Amino acid sequence: MASEKSKILVVGATGYLGRHVVAASARLGHPTLALVRDTAPSDPAKAALLRSFQDAGVTLLKGDLYDQASLVSAVRAADVVISTLGSLQIADQTRLIDAIKEAGNVKRFFPSEFGLDVDRTGIVEPGRTILSGKVAIRRAVEAAGIPYTYVVAGYFAGYALPSIGQVLAQGPPTDKAVVLGDGNAKAVYVEEGDIGTYTVLAADDPRAENKTLYVRPPANTLSHNELLALWERKTGRAFEREYVPEEAVLKQIQESPVPLNIILAIGHAAYVRGEQTGFVVDPAKGADAAELYPDVKYTTVDEYLDRFL
């Protein structure tokens, strides 16, 4: 049947974003498979997570990115493969590409992306070197002739919003907020469950095939100044702004250790260069998730901030 939903395999299913993709896939009615190294882990939190997967109807497949036979077997059971592997395993997605080629049945692959658009970023070092791994995976997918979708979603709300957009802060401002640049560049904040929803909606959508899907919910596209003003209205408190000029940001990136220099480089790209919003999507190469799926009731930044009151 044409309306039959694809079987989706999530690799990195128990990770920070993976669990949200698994939940969205199951909720949206896809037969959902989760690749896991251990189906009965001793860690109570991971065991509870896997039980929640099973309660939602998800099938657990025992396998490992570094065990090619198990990887090929898992891939053969799916129509769509979504990778949510973390930064340390980005380069090893070549193993997944090889498994998809060997299996020969996958109609769409989503490599682990979800942040800046790595093909058009002007991020400074060490960010450029870090993101070059994602660029290499994109080229490998294309060279293999595997149909793909690259999902670009700006800032994870769970990373950026607890500090009200302050790049290195651990929580909301008390008296003073640190702003990179002039605070006027627009950035994008997307709740992790919504990233999962948009990603899964694209899995069977021919409009997203061989394109970059930009997740930029209109209500969640705000400058840092606008974000701080929203927080001030919610708390009834005004905060002093400390604006850090671009030259000082670049100097701090050069002088900071890992991973602070990487976090700052991403912050510079988003908050100073405005990379998450300062461009028009080329319809030949990309698609806007908000235009493709206007009915998604996403969590707005306004709603998300209420969690911290």
Side-chain angles (χ1 to χ4, degrees):
M1 291 174 59
S3 61
E4 188 174 331
K5 296 201 174 188
S6 292
K7 296 186 290 292
I8 292 179
L9 170 69
V10 182
V11 181
T14 61
Y16 180 79
L17 186 63
R19 62 192 66 195
H20 295 286
V21 175
V22 170
S25 178
R27 178 171 46 78
L28 292 170
H30 289 269
T32 305
L33 314 165
L35 186 73
V36 295
R37 285 190 293 270
D38 188 352
T39 56
S42 57
D43 180 284
K46 185 161 282 190
L49 178 62
L50 295 187
R51 280 196 300 274
S52 75
F53 286 175
Q54 292 174 303
D55 290 345
V58 175
T59 300
L60 305 182
L61 297 182
K62 188 175 174 62
D64 194 299
L65 184 64
Y66 306 101
D67 176 355
Q68 203 67 8
S70 71
L71 201 55
V72 172
S73 176
V75 166
R76 282 197 173 122
D79 304 307
V80 172
V81 176
I82 301 176
S83 171
T84 57
L85 292 166
S87 58
L88 298 178
Q89 292 182 295
I90 292 298
D92 292 337
Q93 290 179 111
T94 52
R95 295 173 177 271
L96 199 44
I97 293 169
D98 290 342
I100 291 170
K101 285 168 60 180
E102 183 176 338
N105 59 286
V106 169
K107 65 181 187 181
R108 191 83 63 83
F109 176 45
F110 291 68
S112 188
E113 290 267 347
F114 309 107
L116 291 169
D117 184 353
V118 298
D119 274 336
R120 53 167 303 281
T121 182
I123 192 170
V124 298
E125 293 292 4
R128 179 168 292 277
T129 295
I130 297 296
L131 294 186
S132 67
K134 290 185 177 181
V135 175
I137 291 298
R138 285 191 180 192
R139 301 293 86 82
V141 170
E142 293 157 9
I146 298 168
Y148 62 85
T149 300
Y150 306 139
V151 180
V152 169
Y155 269 123
F156 291 176
Y159 282 164
L161 293 184
S163 65
I164 319 300
Q166 299 177 100
V167 172
L168 296 183
Q170 298 302 306
T174 51
D175 301 306
K176 180 174 68 176
V178 178
V179 180
L180 304 188
D182 62 12
N184 292 327
K186 302 274 189 178
V188 180
Y189 310 93
V190 191
E191 195 267 335
E192 289 79 352
D194 294 333
I195 295 174
T197 297
Y198 285 116
T199 299
V200 171
L201 285 172
D204 278 338
D205 191 342
R207 298 173 298 175
E209 182 173 323
N210 294 337
K211 290 185 178 180
T212 300
L213 181 73
Y214 295 94
V215 182
R216 303 190 293 185
N220 293 7
T221 302
L222 303 165
S223 72
H224 199 176
N225 284 331
E226 290 170 333
L227 178 61
L228 287 165
L230 178 58
W231 182 244
E232 286 176 330
R233 288 197 296 275
K234 286 183 176 293
T235 60
R237 296 180 59 193
F239 304 97
E240 178 190 346
R241 264 73 150 180
E242 179 188 334
Y243 292 98
V244 184
E246 181 174 17
E247 297 74 18
V249 176
L250 293 171
K251 186 172 186 290
Q252 191 175 1
I253 292 169
Q254 292 171 350
E255 295 175 351
S256 295
V258 175
L260 299 185
N261 54 358
I262 299 167
I263 295 169
L264 280 164
I266 294 169
H268 173 263
Y271 288 120
V272 180
R273 291 176 53 86
E275 285 193 2
Q276 294 176 352
T277 58
F279 62 97
V280 175
V281 174
D282 178 353
K285 298 178 180 179
D288 190 310
E291 293 178 6
L292 294 187
Y293 316 113
D295 296 332
V296 171
K297 303 300 184 194
Y298 60 87
T299 300
T300 66
V301 168
D302 193 326
E303 294 163 342
Y304 198 98
L305 293 185
D306 288 340
R307 302 180 187 189
F308 310 128
L309 294 175

